[in-house]
Amino acid sequence: MARARRGTSFIRRLGVTASAVALTAAGLAPMTGTAAAHTSRQPDFGPNVFVYDPSTPVAEIQAKFDQIFAQQEHNEMGTNRYAVLFKPGQYDVNARLGYYTTVAGLGRSPDDVDVHGAVRVVGQPDPGSAAGISALTNFWRSAENLSVTPTDWSNQWAVSQASPMRRVHIKGILWLEPGNGGFSSGGYIADSKVDGITINGSQQQWLTRDSVLGDIWTNGVWNQVFSGVTGAPAQGFPSPPYTTLATSPVTREKPYLYVDDAGRYRVFLPALRHDTSGTTWDAGQQQQGSSASIDDFYIAKPGDSAAKINLALLLGKNLLLTPGVYHLDQPIHVLRKNTVILGLGMPSLAPDTGKAALQIADVDGVRVAGVLVDAGKRESDTLVQVGSPLSHRDHSANPTSLQDVFFRIGGPWVGKAETSLVVNSDDTIIDNIWAWRGDHGNGIGWTQNTADTGVVINGDDVTAYGLFVEHYQKYQTIWNGERGRTIFYQSELPYDPPSQAAWTSPTGKGYASYKVGPRVKSHDAWGLGVYSYFNQGVDIRADRGIEAPKTSKVRFNDMITVFLDGSGGIERTINDAGTPVVGSYGTSTIVSYP
């Protein structure tokens, strides 16, 4: 009876009644509201998901893409979210992607869906640049699990942060810049193949992981990282700025939605792999992993309460978030091992009451993929927490993974959060994170969108690929766990400290971007870029871009600090090593440390 009482107490904290749980578990009553009945052949993904098959008239598909793009091209801080899904077949369309738009195939292989035309992102007008065009704010969109046969000379994908390309086969040339030398600020490709040339052009930084490149990768500005990439350019940092690792130490690809041979919707869950290179699917490979029916998922809709979502998770469901914004009065709690949370069409979790958006217990195998987290007006201590403080369970055989999870403090509205992401669970895999304290949009200012730190890693044996953390008011990243590994790091310091006194750390002027805790004995990082642009007209200095214990097993490879613009700058790259980048454009590079 004591165990039952504890269960009932927990259920009440979730905001539901014990009778509702009993009825639902017994199958005597369906969940109410937007937990509408659906079948594995025809799930209800809501009004902002468009599913097409080869019998759909081309004009209808093209008209829908044009309509979404017209609405989303400049809707950077809006609340609309969209996903366009293709069943296996060939499609002759020009899919231009604006903000919060995902295009994905529903096959088991990217080659099951072949888009003849383009799945493209183009540059935006930028009167402030000599080129008159840039991709510096082309965020929050994605292409996944399809092939593209360009009918123009290339497939253009001119993006910056939070715009991943996963499981994509480009049957031709891939062009990653906006054109005319316009600025672009970094992106991410994984489990993909490019048959032709990849024109990197003006991309300041980029991570390509576990992929296959064809003819050649051209150009690069400061920090280009290749991890487990067949056909990658040779190691060359700092000139050319290539960091090349032959294999990726531990990976697990992002879950994806597909339709099986019987027409039923399922979610594929790729297996954990070690020391990998190339794609999981090329050359007739059958990707290893397991598959779950869509019937095992609670398909959430905007307007669903946190209590309703938590009830579904408590009853053993996984969670699929359809496009939209989910306002939460309490955290989503993940208590069960192997739970999957998959976002469709860039959904946002928005905690409104000063609590976390997502709390994950220290259990095996949780997968969170494809979601935004937007801080609310009431300050949260933490937006997403993985595991429990002081817990060190071994999850090496089945780790938790975070993939394409993006945080915002300000931008769509005033937001406040002391820390965006705290990872306590050992062995966690972080795979493409952008934690961003907004530098433009709504509610922006030193005393408005307040946030101390982007990412704090307390767990041991955590591996991060593609860690983008920007503009927080103290340290951007703090790494306290042992044997951590970062493969690619990109960070701009805050633009807006009003004075040096307002931005001084316990170890000197300013705050380092990437800080390894003083007690850490072992850490490895490859390909790190830290940039300054202090725009308040005040001489602001950071004593160093990276701060770490000086010991033989805390090792850094291929680092750069850059003065972008503004005033002040960064005095040293790591600890006391490196040259100043202060007062005017300049770079400081270090190949290895110590």
Side-chain angles (χ1 to χ4, degrees):
M1 290 300 295
R3 183 176 302 170
R5 284 196 295 271
R6 284 198 295 270
T8 301
S9 175
F10 175 75
I11 290 166
R12 284 174 180 161
R13 288 200 302 273
L14 295 183
V16 298
T17 65
S19 59
V21 173
L23 288 172
T24 306
L28 299 178
M31 292 187 189
T32 59
T34 56
H38 65 271
T39 70
S40 59
R41 293 180 185 272
Q42 192 57 54
D44 177 12
F45 293 133
N48 286 8
V49 177
F50 304 94
V51 181
Y52 297 116
D53 62 44
S55 68
T56 310
V58 170
E60 178 183 332
I61 301 174
Q62 189 63 58
K64 180 55 67 177
F65 272 116
D66 293 346
Q67 177 190 1
I68 295 173
F69 181 71
Q71 177 181 289
Q72 298 298 105
E73 180 182 10
H74 303 297
N75 195 19
E76 182 179 358
M77 300 302 173
T79 57
N80 295 315
R81 310 282 189 268
Y82 295 98
V84 180
L85 310 179
F86 290 114
K87 292 184 177 180
Q90 179 179 318
Y91 300 85
D92 296 299
V93 295
N94 174 19
R96 294 176 296 172
L97 273 60
Y99 290 102
Y100 314 111
T101 305
T102 293
V103 176
L106 291 171
R108 277 288 281 111
S109 166
D111 287 335
D112 291 342
V113 172
D114 192 2
V115 175
H116 280 237
V119 177
R120 71 176 72 211
V121 182
V122 301
Q124 298 195 46
D126 182 2
S129 74
I133 191 171
S134 84
L136 289 177
T137 60
N138 279 356
F139 313 136
W140 307 306
R141 61 201 81 194
S142 65
E144 303 183 37
N145 197 33
L146 46 75
S147 66
V148 181
T149 301
T151 54
D152 199 350
W153 70 274
S154 71
N155 191 84
Q156 188 176 23
W157 188 256
V159 299
S160 288
Q161 294 85 353
S163 299
M165 178 180 284
R166 291 184 182 267
R167 287 178 57 83
V168 172
H169 185 185
I170 302 295
K171 299 179 178 180
I173 296 172
L174 178 62
W175 187 28
L176 299 177
E177 68 168 352
N180 301 322
F183 296 131
S184 38
S185 183
Y188 174 93
I189 293 174
D191 202 19
S192 294
K193 181 180 181 181
V194 181
D195 290 346
I197 296 171
T198 302
I199 303 173
N200 182 262
S202 65
Q203 282 290 352
Q204 296 163 357
Q205 56 270 318
W206 196 280
L207 172 63
T208 307
R209 180 184 64 72
D210 291 275
S211 294
V212 176
L213 298 178
D215 295 338
I216 191 171
W217 178 284
T218 72
N219 312 106
V221 180
W222 296 317
N223 184 29
Q224 313 285 313
V225 178
F226 305 86
S227 181
V229 177
T230 303
Q235 171 74 29
F237 188 88
S239 181
Y242 299 150
T243 298
T244 301
L245 286 71
T247 60
S248 299
V250 56
T251 59
R252 187 172 64 194
E253 299 300 334
K254 181 181 176 181
Y256 61 90
L257 191 67
Y258 74 100
V259 176
D260 67 14
D261 293 340
R264 294 174 299 226
Y265 284 79
R266 303 185 66 83
V267 173
F268 193 78
L269 306 172
L272 188 70
R273 304 189 301 154
H274 294 87
D275 302 317
T276 54
S277 64
T279 73
T280 61
W281 53 267
D282 189 29
Q285 298 177 76
Q286 184 66 42
Q287 186 177 38
Q288 299 300 304
S290 59
S291 177
S293 170
I294 196 67
D295 293 331
D296 296 331
F297 284 76
Y298 175 68
I299 300 178
K301 311 286 174 54
D304 281 359
S305 66
K308 186 176 293 184
I309 291 171
N310 281 327
L311 174 57
L313 293 171
L314 185 65
L315 294 173
K317 291 286 190 180
N318 298 309
L319 177 62
L320 189 144
L321 296 161
T322 61
V325 178
Y326 293 76
H327 288 278
L328 306 173
D329 62 353
Q330 60 179 294
I332 295 173
H333 295 280
V334 178
L335 305 174
R336 178 176 53 88
K337 69 178 183 179
N338 298 325
T339 298
V340 180
I341 297 179
L342 180 61
L344 195 60
M346 297 275 173
S348 289
L349 301 178
D352 292 332
T353 60
K355 299 179 181 179
L358 178 64
Q359 293 180 328
I360 302 170
D362 192 28
V363 295
D364 277 353
V366 175
R367 307 180 197 224
V368 181
V371 297
L372 279 70
V373 182
D374 283 308
K377 295 178 182 179
R378 291 183 60 180
E379 184 180 56
S380 298
D381 290 338
T382 302
L383 293 176
V384 173
Q385 179 174 304
V386 180
S388 305
L390 305 180
S391 177
H392 283 286
R393 299 175 58 188
D394 182 1
H395 302 291
S396 58
N398 188 15
T400 286
S401 54
L402 304 176
Q403 298 176 293
D404 302 343
V405 178
F406 309 127
F407 300 85
R408 294 189 297 197
I409 314 293
W413 48 70
V414 173
K416 300 174 185 287
E418 185 174 334
T419 306
S420 289
L421 171 64
V422 176
V423 176
N424 297 312
S425 289
D426 291 353
D427 308 293
T428 298
I429 298 173
I430 297 172
D431 186 25
N432 192 32
I433 294 289
W434 186 33
W436 182 66
R437 174 181 167 260
D439 61 86
H440 63 278
N442 303 307
I444 302 301
W446 189 254
T447 60
Q448 294 184 67
N449 59 327
T450 55
D452 283 357
T453 305
V455 176
V456 176
I457 309 293
N458 298 318
D460 294 338
D461 301 293
V462 172
T463 301
Y465 303 93
L467 195 56
F468 301 78
V469 191
E470 300 192 284
H471 308 314
Y472 288 81
Q473 293 172 295
K474 293 184 178 179
Y475 299 108
Q476 308 301 302
T477 299
I478 301 174
W479 204 298
N480 296 316
E482 288 291 351
R483 298 174 299 281
R485 293 175 292 200
T486 294
I487 298 174
F488 181 93
Y489 181 74
Q490 186 265 329
S491 180
E492 288 183 357
L493 299 173
Y495 290 170
D496 55 340
S499 66
Q500 191 71 68
W503 198 61
T504 294
S505 72
T507 57
K509 293 180 180 178
Y511 287 82
S513 171
Y514 191 103
K515 178 179 174 63
V516 178
R519 298 182 180 179
V520 173
K521 296 179 176 61
S522 177
H523 186 87
D524 286 283
W526 296 263
L528 301 92
V530 179
Y531 313 99
S532 79
Y533 171 33
F534 300 118
N535 66 6
Q536 299 298 296
V538 180
D539 185 2
I540 303 292
R541 306 293 177 97
D543 277 348
R544 58 196 65 85
I546 302 165
E547 185 174 304
K550 189 173 183 180
T551 179
S552 62
K553 291 187 177 180
V554 176
R555 297 168 293 208
F556 287 81
N557 302 275
D558 297 358
M559 298 156 280
I560 186 168
T561 46
V562 182
F563 176 96
L564 296 173
D565 203 347
S567 56
I570 304 170
E571 297 286 359
R572 295 288 185 267
T573 302
I574 179 169
N575 292 347
D576 294 325
T579 57
V581 286
V582 175
S584 62
Y585 173 75
T587 63
S588 172
T589 58
I590 295 180
V591 174
S592 64
Y593 184 91

